[in-house]
Amino acid sequence: MNIPDFTSVYWSISLTAFFFLIITGRYFLVAGTFYLAFYVWFPDKWANRKINKKPYKKGQLKTEVKWSLLSSVIFSVAGTITVILWQKDYTKVYTDPHLYGLWYLPASLIIFMLAHETYYYWIHRWMHIPSVYRVVHKIHHNSKIASPFTAFSFHPWEALLQAIFLPVMLMVLPMHYFVILLQLIIMTVSSVINHLDIEIYPKNSRNTFGKWVIGATHHSLHHKQFKYNFGLYFTFWDRLKKTEAPGFTDAMCGKGNTRKASLTIPDAPLDEFK
Ligand SMILES: [Zn+2]
Ligand SMILES: [Zn+2]
């Protein structure tokens, strides 16, 4: 098969445009479906799982979509750079699923997610240093109450920090291209779930899965309080470094409904970070 030279201007721009369509399509499909299902079609069904009862600020969703489109441009460029690295043989991406054994397919996904968790937890804490926060992370936190469209709403600096992780990892960790695609889908769906502001994990998972895997309760508390709950997919770093919001276990595992429990946790002072 003849593969075009992706370093040429024509092919690098075409590939970036192609990635932009795929990435924005995925964003609108996942965030849009969750928004319609939880906020438009069946809001009553989820009313007692809604974490913040205040309405969204006027124009918030539109602003989030604008920042998300800009983030998607950066993710698309990162995608093209990844393909060029692959073409120049700098990555460990492979195509034969039997190359490392079938067991390695899920293993590589887990290794990637644990590494991603560690990377994100620590850069997220760094982004909350006030001088860094103002430049890099404030845009994301302008959404005091998260929505599905907050999922990609980042300042370009933050989008860049997020985008470089995949190509760098692919230079050191062998991954089948199918596992990479699956990881990209997981990343988008989990970001939308975490920003939904409606707890969708079943009640009977509160003491197991819901305790270790981040969902809306965990991340809404981060948007409310700033100084807790920095994790991405899993709670273990927050538990280990004692940065889990004091009210999280009650909100997630306590008696009563999630919203009532979450509302007992105060918002961060509004002037904490300006
Ligand atoms: Zn967030
Ligand atoms: Zn943050």
Side-chain angles (χ1 to χ4, degrees):
M1 191 171 68
N2 244 353
I3 298 170
D5 175 10
F6 290 115
T7 55
S8 72
V9 175
Y10 173 79
W11 277 109
S12 59
I13 292 175
S14 305
L15 188 62
T16 306
F18 172 73
F19 278 139
F20 183 74
L21 286 178
I22 300 284
I23 290 168
T24 50
R26 184 186 58 180
Y27 168 73
F28 284 117
L29 179 73
V30 180
T33 304
F34 273 82
Y35 183 75
L36 285 174
F38 290 91
Y39 283 91
V40 180
W41 293 333
F42 312 108
D44 299 342
K45 191 167 178 274
W46 297 97
N48 72 347
R49 294 296 201 97
K50 179 84 174 89
I51 294 156
N52 290 280
K53 63 177 176 184
K54 285 184 213 154
Y56 290 120
K57 269 191 298 185
K58 200 168 171 271
Q60 179 185 323
L61 303 191
K62 229 187 222 172
T63 310
E64 290 173 342
V65 168
K66 270 187 220 158
W67 286 111
S68 297
L69 289 177
L70 192 55
S71 299
S72 300
V73 173
I74 292 164
F75 296 159
S76 307
V77 173
T80 299
I81 292 170
T82 309
V83 169
I84 292 171
L85 288 171
W86 164 77
Q87 190 163 45
K88 299 276 175 203
D89 225 8
Y90 287 120
T91 73
K92 295 194 183 302
V93 178
Y94 64 98
T95 52
D96 175 8
H98 295 281
L99 186 63
Y100 295 94
L102 291 178
W103 67 271
Y104 183 73
L105 299 173
S108 62
L109 181 70
I110 292 166
I111 295 168
F112 181 93
M113 288 180 76
L114 293 177
H116 197 193
E117 181 66 44
T118 303
Y119 171 75
Y120 185 79
Y121 176 84
W122 289 103
I123 58 155
H124 195 180
R125 285 196 63 173
W126 173 74
M127 288 192 295
H128 275 266
I129 296 170
S131 56
V132 181
Y133 177 88
R134 278 189 288 272
V135 182
V136 180
H137 195 43
K138 189 178 182 303
I139 292 295
H140 186 67
H141 276 278
N142 280 347
S143 308
K144 296 259 176 330
I145 300 174
S147 87
F149 297 101
T150 318
F152 282 5
S153 177
F154 307 119
H155 185 279
W157 284 124
E158 181 170 356
L160 189 65
L161 281 170
Q162 307 221 13
I164 56 172
F165 184 74
L166 181 67
V168 170
M169 272 307 278
L170 292 180
M171 289 196 276
V172 290
L173 180 73
M175 283 181 90
H176 187 269
Y177 68 95
F178 228 78
V179 176
I180 300 170
L181 283 179
L182 180 63
Q183 165 58 25
L184 290 169
I185 294 168
I186 291 173
M187 221 187 296
T188 309
V189 173
S190 89
S191 187
V192 169
I193 288 176
N194 295 352
H195 289 100
L196 193 58
D197 202 52
I198 293 173
E199 183 52 67
I200 59 168
Y201 294 160
K203 276 187 179 172
N204 59 11
S205 75
R206 286 174 168 188
N207 282 309
T208 51
F209 172 85
K211 221 171 176 176
W212 295 100
V213 176
I214 290 175
T217 305
H218 195 273
H219 200 63
S220 276
L221 291 178
H222 177 69
H223 278 255
K224 267 165 90 100
Q225 298 182 309
F226 300 92
K227 56 184 178 184
Y228 299 113
N229 294 5
F230 296 97
L232 180 65
Y233 308 112
F234 310 112
T235 58
F236 67 88
W237 270 117
D238 278 310
R239 295 172 80 107
L240 212 63
K241 300 308 292 179
K242 306 208 180 322
T243 52
E244 190 163 88
F248 173 65
T249 311
D250 281 347
M252 196 66 200
C253 312
K255 293 186 187 88
N257 68 44
T258 302
R259 198 189 87 193
K260 259 190 214 150
S262 305
L263 287 174
T264 61
I265 299 162
D267 288 9
L270 285 177
D271 59 351
E272 187 167 2
F273 295 111
K274 274 270 162 70

